[in-house]
Amino acid sequence: MGTTVISAPANANELGMTDRLIVLDKGRVVQSDFAPRIYRNPASAAAAIATGDVNVIPITIRGKQVESPIGSWTADNASFEGNGIALARPEDFSIVEKGKNPI
């Protein structure tokens, strides 16, 4: 229609009606893209939170070892060492019986 509308969506359904999403954090643009791309690849915690449910998990990285309150794992491509956060969507988790490997 050639019309630009600036809005603050109240829910994920409204995000689905957007052509482009611009995420602000403390008055600065932190990411601009299509909502599904930001959802799967948020550039910041603010971008992740803006596009839906997200778990913000405190982590510590030493070399390739990542430690968190929910467990530890190896990250071959860790981009830093020290304290940070991991962003995980609810669909990234699955419940597995103790002693069993996830599928």
Side-chain angles (χ1 to χ4, degrees):
M1 293 172 44
T3 302
T4 299
V5 175
I6 298 173
S7 70
N11 59 50
N13 291 335
E14 290 179 22
L15 281 176
M17 296 187 295
T18 63
D19 290 327
R20 185 164 259 343
L21 180 64
I22 299 172
V23 181
L24 301 173
D25 187 18
K26 298 177 185 163
R28 294 181 183 262
V29 173
V30 293
Q31 194 164 1
S32 173
D33 206 337
F34 300 106
R37 287 188 197 160
I38 294 175
Y39 180 87
R40 285 314 316 159
N41 298 297
S44 68
I49 292 165
T51 54
D53 292 334
V54 67
N55 296 290
V56 179
I57 305 163
I59 60 170
T60 301
I61 301 175
R62 290 185 185 90
K64 292 184 176 184
Q65 189 66 29
V66 182
E67 298 174 8
S68 80
I70 63 170
S72 61
W73 61 92
T74 301
D76 292 329
N77 58 353
S79 58
F80 69 93
E81 281 201 31
N83 297 320
I85 59 170
L87 303 172
R89 300 287 185 188
E91 66 269 17
D92 295 333
F93 291 96
S94 61
I95 298 173
V96 179
E97 187 178 339
K98 186 175 182 176
K100 303 283 183 176
N101 287 327
I103 296 175

